[in-house]
């Protein structure tokens, strides 16, 4: 049994395929490449393969991480090239690495995710935007739906590890490192909402572009 | 306008955006500067349905094999996407290069079912292309159609510039090559059509004009270009073993209806069911060799990574070496860890052995198609199975543990009476009793579905003259059955809605005068008529009323043999005399043998050798 991780980008139109579609795509790519995945035991066996964290539909990424286990050793010097030939346009393998077979799944040690967000807006009120004002708030309030489907206020400040906002003429470029994983997780959507509300800017969600740039872990992976 | 940025916005709003992005594995990108003819393959339904259609993969592959030709795909956007596109002014585009379809050279629609006709109009409209060829003139792409419904192209004759009749995979390449030459020459469209019309399988509707009698029937079909052929012979590929087959089929990102590798085993059918259009227009039977099928299956699986393999033909078990083929494919699938699915098996003992092995404990439903409830009516339609055949298969199925059975019947067949319908009920009862006999008084977990569809007489079949039941008659029959089934436990009774059946009949046998109500219906907002949740019968009735169209003239009127039928100049290879003979035999409840037992002279062997004719004599 061999365990590997690959880092890959998902750019362009392929950002519109869902997490499940992406998993199927990898499964079929492995099959085309003649790579046999290990399967879980039990009544409904599934291949041992998973993303550190699913990526929302419509987000691009320059740093997704997939781990998988294979029956045979697949590590050879051309493996990245072979992978990229078997991949459809938009998915590009950047790094490939064998890791220790034992140990927790990547999903379990995911700690942060880094996003770059482009938020176009019309400065209709011409109120001017002081970016530091937002960042320096003692609480950063956003809203989310609770289980009863009611909007509730939520302070997300503690879940923001790093934040930088760059104001351009008609857009904000936001860089954010946010909690990710099973312990604490913040969706960039909540941050966007908080920024929009704070500055009272008008924007159209369909014009917001989000790119995930990296995922980091509680333990150092040798990348 | 930049399609990409506009499209990007819409894709964030609509459902299943991956339907519109292209770029799937094995899809083709070409340098637009270097190709001479740009062809758009248009499927008039959603991506999920179109991508499950093997014909698309064949034509896509065969065209893109040519350096000079670029074939891209076009699908009908779902209603949410269409609304957004219209709102933002985004025209219909190809998936591959996101080119507006009006910038292509040729747009080719496949006609798989009549209920997709409004979608064709809608797609042209969304692409900014005028619907009729008169309005298009020399500008705009050339609009082409093919597929089974093209055997009666008349309802769409004013829409299409060129109609391709018969096997398309060689013809379409010829057409595109001729187009490339013509494009260079700078001549007008008419010149191209004049050249094309001499090629077998190519019909240029504008070279013909029907003249009508006062009663609305056709007086004669006038030729407007005297060199055009009197009748248009369908294109036939005599040897499909050598024909192109898409080893590198496109693998969709999203789940589509049939997400699997498919190999066509043979084309055509020898059984001669009298209601079946496919059984007539695809004659003669041409098989792929077992070796070719095996090689193709292996390559397709390797090139796609699919989890499932399936075979395609009109009747899987009729393949001449079916047992050997099934056995070897089962072995191969097992080795590749792929599941095998074999549709429309004739349920004999060999099939059960196969099904046992490929389905194992996960038994899916089993289907039977007796088509009619009495032996008399089965003789009328030439469905050559007996009650004994049905019961012994069902008995075996029950013994082997299948508990979900589905039986298909048709309502509205010629000469049908209530007694024949009661036969359906009788069969259902007997199946339930068989289950008690085999699985004990409690019967176990068991369900039998009786599914009845409504008969639509089709062009080029022995029943092409038949007057379809009216909506009222259909309803009466459905109610009769529904009533009888109420008291039978363990039976689910399902039937199709009647209004679409009538519409289908109008367009299956319509002439050029049904184009008007079709366009009117589209303008009133009809689209996706094949989807019951979108179908709006009131709008259709309005369209017929506004255009003064008599639905009964097309649907329920019995024609006589002397009448010139709108599709008479389209030659399927099967002789009209044969169809008449078959219709007469139907009236006296006489069977015609499967022509593997001996040629029954349908006429197609005058065009091409029938390998299977008399093969089992
Ligand atoms: S010509 Fe004869 S053998 Fe050939 S398809 Fe027709 S009936 Fe069958």
């Amino acid at each position: 049994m061999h365990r590997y991780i690959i880092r890959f980008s998902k750019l362009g139109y392929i950002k519109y395929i869902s997490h499940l579609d992406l998993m199927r795509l990898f499964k079929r790519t492995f099959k085309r490449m003649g790579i046999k995945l290990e399967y879980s035991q039990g009544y409904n066996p599934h291949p041992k393969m998973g993303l550190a964290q699913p990526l929302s539909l419509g987000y691009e990424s320059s740093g997704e991480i997939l781990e998988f286990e294979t029956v045979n050793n697949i590590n050879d010097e051309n493996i990245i090239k072979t992978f990229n030939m078997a991949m459809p346009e938009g998915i590009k393998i950047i790094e490939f690495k064998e890791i220790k077979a034992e140990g927790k799944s990547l999903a379990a040690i995911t700690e942060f995710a880094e996003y770059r967000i482009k938020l176009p807006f019309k400065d209709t009120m011409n109120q001017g935007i002081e970016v530091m004002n937002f960042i320096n708030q003692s609480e950063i309030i956003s809203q989310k739906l609770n289980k009863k489907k009611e909007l509730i206020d939520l302070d997300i400040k503690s879940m923001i590890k790093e934040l930088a906002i760059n104001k351009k003429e008609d857009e904000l470029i936001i860089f954010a490192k946010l909690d990710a994983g099973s312990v604490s997780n913040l969706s960039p959507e909540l941050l966007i909402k908080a920024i929009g509300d704070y500055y009272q800017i008008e924007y159209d969600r369909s014009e917001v572009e989000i790119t995930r740039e990296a995922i980091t872990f509680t333990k150092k992976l040798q990348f | 306008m930049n399609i990409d940025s506009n499209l990007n916005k819409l894709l964030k709003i609509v459902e299943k955006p991956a339907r519109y992005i292209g770029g799937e594995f094995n899809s083709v990108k070409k340098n637009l500067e270097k190709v001479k003819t740009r062809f758009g393959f248009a499927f008039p339904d959603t991506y999920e349905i179109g991508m499950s259609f093997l014909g698309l993969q064949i034509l896509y592959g065969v065209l893109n094999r040519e350096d000079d030709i670029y074939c891209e795909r076009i699908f009908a956007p779902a209603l949410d996407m269409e609304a957004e596109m219209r709102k933002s002014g985004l025209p219909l585009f190809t998936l591959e290069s996101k080119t507006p379809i009006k910038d292509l050279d040729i747009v080719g629609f496949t006609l798989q079912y009549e209920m997709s006709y409004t979608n064709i109009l809608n797609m042209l409209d969304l692409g900014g292309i005028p619907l009729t060829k008169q309005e298009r003139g020399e500008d705009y792409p050339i609009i082409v159609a093919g597929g089974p419904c093209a055997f009666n192209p008349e309802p769409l004759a004013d829409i299409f510039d060129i109609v391709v009749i018969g096997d398309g995979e060689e013809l379409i390449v010829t057409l595109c090559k001729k187009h490339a030459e013509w494009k260079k020459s700078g001549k007008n469209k008419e010149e191209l059509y004049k050249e094309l019309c001499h090629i077998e399988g190519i019909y240029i509707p504008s070279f013909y004009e029907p003249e009508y009698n006062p009663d609305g029937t056709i007086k004669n079909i006038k030729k407007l270009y005297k060199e055009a052929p009197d009748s248009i012979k369908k294109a036939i590929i005599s040897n499909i073993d050598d024909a192109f087959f898409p080893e590198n089929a496109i693998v969709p990102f999203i789940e589509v209806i049939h997400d699997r590798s498919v190999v066509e085993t043979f084309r055509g059918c020898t059984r001669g069911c009298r209601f079946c259009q496919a059984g007539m227009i695809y004659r003669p039977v041409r098989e792929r060799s077992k070796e070719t099928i095996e090689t193709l299956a292996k390559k397709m699986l390797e090139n796609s990574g699919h989890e499932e393999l399936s075979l395609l033909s009109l009747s899987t078990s009729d393949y001449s070496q079916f047992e050997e083929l099934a056995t070897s494919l089962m072995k191969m699938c097992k080795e590749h860890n792929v599941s095998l699915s074999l549709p429309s098996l004739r349920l004999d003992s060999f099939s059960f052995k196969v099904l046992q092995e490929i389905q194992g404990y996960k038994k899916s439903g089993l289907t039977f198609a007796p088509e009619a409830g009495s032996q008399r009516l089965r003789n009328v339609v030439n469905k050559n199975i007996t009650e004994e055949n049905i019961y012994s298969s069902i008995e075996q199925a029950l013994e082997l543990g299948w508990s979900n059975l589905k039986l298909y019947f048709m309502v509205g067949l010629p000469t049908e009476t209530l007694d024949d319908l009661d036969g359906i009920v009788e069969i259902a009862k007997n199946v339930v009793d068989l289950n008690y006999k085999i699985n004990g008084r409690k019967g176990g977990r068991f369900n039998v579905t009786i599914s009845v569809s409504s008969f639509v007489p089709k062009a080029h079949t022995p029943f092409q003259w038949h007057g379809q039941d009216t909506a009222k008659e259909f309803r009466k029959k459905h109610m009769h059955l529904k009533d009888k089934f109420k008291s039978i436990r363990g039976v689910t009774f399902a039937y199709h809605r009647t209004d679409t059946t009538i519409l289908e009949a109008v367009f299956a046998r319509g002439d050029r005068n049904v184009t008007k109500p079709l366009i009117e219906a589209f303008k009133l907002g009809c689209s996706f008529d094949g989807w019951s949740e979108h179908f709006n019968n009131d709008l259709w009735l309005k369209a017929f009323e506004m255009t003064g169209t008599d639905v009964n003239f097309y649907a329920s009127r019995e024609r006589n043999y002397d009448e010139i039928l709108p599709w008479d100049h389209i030659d399927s290879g099967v002789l009209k005399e044969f169809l008449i003979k078959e219709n007469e035999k139907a009236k006296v409840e006489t069977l015609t043998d499967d022509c593997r037992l001996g040629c029954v002279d349908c006429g197609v062997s005058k065009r091409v050798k029938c390998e299977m004719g008399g093969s089992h004599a």
Side-chain angles (χ1 to χ4, degrees), chain B residues 269-271 279-280 282-285 573-574 578 592-615:
Chain B
C269 178
T270 52
R271 303 201 153 248
M280 296 292 154
Y282 291 119
R283 287 180 180 221
V285 165
V574 175
F578 175 76
T592 296
D593 269 337
D594 185 316
C595 63
R596 274 169 304 179
L597 300 172
C599 174
V600 297
D601 292 320
C602 77
V604 83
S605 64
K606 294 203 173 80
R607 292 279 313 279
V608 43
K609 192 163 166 257
C610 289
E611 302 282 349
M612 290 300 128
S615 63

Side-chain angles (χ1 to χ4, degrees), chain A residues 1-5 30 35-40 46-50 66-72 74 99-105:
Chain A
M1 194 262 273
H2 300 262
R3 187 176 177 207
Y4 303 98
I5 47 179
F30 287 131
I35 294 173
K36 277 208 174 92
L37 292 176
E38 288 283 352
Y39 273 74
S40 64
H46 51 90
K48 292 194 175 173
M49 171 181 82
L66 177 88
E67 65 173 318
F68 59 95
E69 294 177 19
T70 64
V71 178
N72 302 310
I74 62 163
I99 57 170
K100 276 212 298 283
E102 55 278 0
K104 286 182 178 167
S105 72

Side-chain angles (χ1 to χ4, degrees), chain A residues 74-90:
Chain A
I74 62 163
N75 198 350
D76 75 57
E77 53 192 312
N78 288 323
I79 185 74
I80 291 185
K81 230 170 110 194
T82 324
F83 255 116
N84 282 328
M85 302 235 309
M87 282 293 171
E89 193 185 322

Side-chain angles (χ1 to χ4, degrees), chain A residues 76-169:
Chain A
D76 75 57
E77 53 192 312
N78 288 323
I79 185 74
I80 291 185
K81 230 170 110 194
T82 324
F83 255 116
N84 282 328
M85 302 235 309
M87 282 293 171
E89 193 185 322
I91 303 268
K92 194 161 171 259
I93 311 300
I94 304 159
E95 281 184 78
F96 172 91
K97 198 165 176 48
E98 179 150 12
I99 57 170
K100 276 212 298 283
E102 55 278 0
K104 286 182 178 167
S105 72
L106 292 190
I109 57 168
T110 296
E111 195 177 23
F112 300 110
E114 299 173 12
Y115 298 92
R116 185 166 301 275
I117 301 161
K118 270 194 342 196
L119 180 65
F121 71 98
K122 301 173 201 84
D123 197 352
T124 40
M125 331 239 320
N126 207 13
Q127 73 271 49
I129 285 175
E130 260 318 316
V131 291
M132 288 317 286
N133 289 355
F134 177 83
I135 296 172
N136 290 337
Q137 294 174 89
S138 58
E139 315 185 292
I140 294 180
I141 299 300
S142 185
Q143 288 181 316
K144 77 184 248 185
L145 289 174
N146 69 5
K147 288 201 180 90
K148 286 189 212 143
K149 295 260 155 65
E150 305 156 335
L151 266 186
I152 47 158
D153 281 356
L154 186 74
D155 178 11
I156 60 172
K157 185 161 191 186
S158 64
M159 291 184 271
I160 303 172
K161 177 81 173 164
E162 289 170 27
L163 181 65
I165 304 176
N166 237 317
K167 188 179 167 240
K168 293 273 172 63
E169 195 165 324

Side-chain angles (χ1 to χ4, degrees), chain B residues 194-207:
Chain B
K194 281 182 173 167
E195 193 187 337
L196 289 174
C197 76
H198 300 293
I199 300 171
E200 235 165 56
I202 291 203
Y203 172 51
I204 308 292
S206 58
F207 288 168

